[in-house]
Structures are given as structure tokens and as C-alpha cells.
Amino acid sequence: MSVVLGIETSCDETGAGLVSDGVLLGDALASSADEHARFGGVVPEVAARAHVSALVPMVRQAVDRAGIRLKDIDAVAVTAGPGLSTAVQVGLAAAKAYATALDVPLYGVHHLAGHAAVDVLDHGPLPERCVALIVSGGHTSLLALRDLARDPVVHLGDTVDDAAGEAFDKVARLLGLAYPGGPAISQAALDGDPAAIAFPRPMTGPRDAPFGFSFSGLKTGVARHVEAATGPIAVADVAASFQQAVVDVLVTKALRACRAEGADTLLMVGGVAANRALRAGMQEACTAAGITLRVPPIRLCTDNGAMIAALGDLLVRADVKPTGLASAVEPGAVLTGALIPPR
Ligand code: KG4
Ligand code: ZN
């Protein structure tokens, strides 16, 4: 049995994880979110510097928590993209150093495939085929998945503008809520009425791309509402109504994709999958439709090292050829499969 070290530095979280045969042995996570809060978004240079100081301590902490030694590691997997270029560089450079020092194979992997792979840790092997909804800060996609380690990923639809998480972050800023916006909105929404304001459900019309998304119009809808307000803004109602609009769109499209693909399993992953209203809404719709919903535990939905280790573990067990020391950062990598092949 191999032990895989996973390293994640694509945005503002420095993650390290250790996975063996589908089991999480230990992980550790540092975040520079507080350092970005006053800018209202991630500052790449600040994130990269934070990774430099946090990375080795996080690997050490993960190794300690796993109760192993560094020399027990049999392979290293690292996010090679997509993400902030300078941030990803830090993780990749460190991963190359660990792989070289330990004389073990290196896999440069796709961050979004990691989001999907992490579900294996709590819920066991993925089915032979399923539909995946990836909802993160940078991406919103509906995918047809087969063997995540070996097979190409098929895109059924993607967002044409903002990602779902990006919409949460931008609307939070409009409402004067803290960064990152997703948790802030879901918190504010607890006291609000989701039916208070009828925000648009973009791209749900009969002539729209059936599996495509667009969230920038929804964000504009919220901005118009805020601008038009004459008195104080009912932040809780706006947050709850916005959140409900996002949930409605994601549920409608994800179930439509499952029906079209004849898939009996829906995998929902990425930072926005941590949203409780979305988890509840999707579960309700899937139960009614006889679809099995798989969602990772909340703590593993947002960026972490365990997800990259989980993906590396799938690659090792599938005997996939490592990308090796030629692995290079691809900041805008499109999700076509688990690996980011060196150019
Ligand atoms: O997957 P992730 O950690 O990083 C990317 O790969 O982008 O996703 C981060 C995004 C952010 O936009 C954040 O606001 C959103 O996920 N998010 C949430 C929640 N927690 C994080 N959105 C809605 N509700 C949440 N509870
Ligand atoms: Zn992510």
C-alpha cells in the first residue's frame, strides 16, 4: 500500500494531506484569508508569500497527525493548475523538492479533479459513471465523469461568466459583508426570507444552453436592488433571496443533466458545496428524483491538501504514469482529466 502526499496552494489555502488506499491518514491546513480580507479578494503576491512560510509546517503537521515519517511517503501529488500562478508555483516547487529528496514519483494534477476525488475519502469509490457539479470560486461546471484517474472528463456545460462562488463573493461585497463571501452570505441568510425578493434565475429559459450557467446577471440584479433602495437594505432578505436563486439554478441544471445522462449518482463538489442551503435543496431534489447525491463533508469542500492526496492516491492505484519533474504550472488549465501533462 502506498502513502501519497498531496499539496495544495492554488489560492489562499496552504494544504497538505496524506492518503493511502482511499483512507485519509492526516492533513493540515493554513489560510491567508485574513490577510486578504481588507482587500475584499485574494492578493496573489500575499498568498504566494504565505504559502512559502506555511508549506513546510503544514506538511510536517500532516505527517505528525498521520503518525508516519516523511520517508514513508511513496508518491507526491500537487496542484499544477488552475489557480494563481505565483501561488501554484510555490506548491509545485516544494512538491518537486519533496519528490526529489524522497526519490518518489510526482504527479502534477488538476485542482478541480481533486475537488471531485476527495469524496472518495468519506463515501468510498466513485461509481463507474456519474454526473458531477463543480461549484467553486473560479469554476462552475456540469461534467460527465467515468474513471477519474484514467478517463477524460466530459463537460456538459460551464458558466459563461462568473462562477457561483465568485457571485457569492461579489454579492457579499455589495452588501458590505466579509470576505470570503460564501460563508458570510449563508450566515446572513439564516435570518432572511428566501422569497423576499424575486431575483432572476439566469439561463433557465427554454432557449438557453440546458447545462450552461451565468451568474453575472444575478449579481447585477442584486446591485440594482441595492442601488434602488431608499431606506436601509434588508441584508438578511437580500442574502437569503440571492442564495435561493443560486440554489434553484444549480438544482434545476444538475438534475436535468442527470436525467439527460441517465446517471443515478450526482457528485456535488467545490467550495460552494459547503453551503448548507444548497446541500439541503440538492438533497431534497435528488431524493424526489431517485438520484443518489454524494457531497464531501463540509470541511473538505473548500480547498485543502487531502483532496490532492486523494486524487494522487487514485492515480497511483490506477498505475497512471507520473508527470514527473517536468511538471509545469498551468494557471488557466481547463479540466480535461486528472493530470496536467507537461507541455
Ligand atoms: O473550492 P474553493 O475553496 O476555491 C476555489 O477553487 O475557488 O471555493 C471557494 C469559493 C469562494 O467563492 C467562497 O465564497 C465559496 O467557495 N464558499 C461558499 C461557502 N463556503 C465557501 N459559498 C457559499 N456558501 C458557503 N458556505
Ligand atoms: Zn478549489
Side-chain angles (χ1 to χ4, degrees):
M1 244 169 14
S2 300
V3 175
V4 182
L5 167 66
I7 293 176
E8 157 61 35
T9 65
S10 67
C11 193
D12 56 351
E13 324 278 348
T14 313
L18 291 150
V19 169
S20 178
D21 210 8
V23 176
L24 178 60
L25 304 179
D27 70 324
L29 190 67
S31 176
S32 60
D34 290 349
E35 294 174 59
H36 308 291
R38 68 193 170 97
F39 301 106
V42 178
V43 184
E45 180 65 17
V46 173
R49 280 165 184 262
H51 289 311
V52 171
S53 55
L55 209 147
V56 171
M58 287 308 106
V59 171
R60 190 155 291 163
Q61 204 174 91
V63 164
D64 287 348
R65 286 176 179 170
I68 62 164
R69 311 274 298 271
L70 267 179
K71 64 175 172 52
D72 298 325
I73 292 168
D74 300 293
V76 179
V78 60
T79 298
L84 305 169
S85 177
T86 50
V88 185
Q89 294 284 3
V90 176
L92 182 61
K96 286 184 182 181
Y98 279 113
T100 304
L102 297 167
D103 194 22
V104 298
L106 174 70
Y107 293 89
V109 303
H110 198 288
H111 176 80
L112 298 177
H115 274 302
V118 80
D119 192 57
V120 168
L121 300 179
D122 283 78
H123 302 131
L126 290 171
E128 254 172 56
R129 49 192 296 267
C130 69
V131 164
L133 171 66
I134 296 199
V135 273
S136 73
H139 298 84
T140 302
S141 301
L142 272 165
L143 312 165
L145 292 189
R146 296 224 169 221
D147 183 334
L148 189 57
R150 291 192 181 93
D151 294 332
V153 169
V154 176
H155 286 246
L156 304 171
D158 303 274
T159 180
V160 296
D161 43 53
D162 293 353
E166 192 177 353
F168 270 93
D169 295 334
K170 287 177 174 172
V171 166
R173 214 181 313 176
L174 281 171
L175 296 177
L177 299 172
Y179 169 85
I185 293 219
S186 66
Q187 185 62 37
L190 291 176
D191 302 319
D193 174 6
I197 307 142
F199 288 127
R201 269 64 174 159
M203 292 271 268
T204 49
R207 280 200 294 275
D208 291 321
F211 312 121
F213 298 96
S214 165
F215 290 105
S216 126
L218 175 55
K219 170 201 65 192
T220 308
V222 178
R224 293 270 146 74
H225 178 84
V226 170
E227 282 159 17
T230 45
I233 300 153
V235 171
D237 283 347
V238 175
S241 300
F242 159 76
Q243 178 173 266
Q244 190 58 47
V246 175
V247 170
D248 284 353
V249 171
L250 294 175
V251 168
T252 301
K253 301 251 166 171
L255 268 86
R256 187 185 286 168
C258 288
R259 275 194 297 275
E261 288 293 303
D264 59 11
T265 304
L266 172 67
L267 175 66
M268 181 167 77
V269 300
V272 181
N275 185 275
R276 289 180 193 276
L278 175 59
R279 295 168 82 95
M282 197 64 86
Q283 184 60 67
E284 194 185 333
C286 282
T287 303
I291 292 165
T292 304
L293 176 65
R294 292 182 49 142
V295 194
I298 287 178
R299 114 176 159 91
L300 295 178
C301 284
T302 43
D303 293 350
N304 62 83
M307 67 189 226
I308 304 305
L311 181 58
D313 174 60
L314 291 180
L315 290 164
V316 168
R317 285 193 281 151
D319 219 7
V320 171
K321 189 170 171 278
T323 52
L325 295 179
S327 303
V329 168
E330 220 180 293
V334 173
L335 177 59
T336 55
L339 292 179
I340 303 218
R343 289 186 204 243

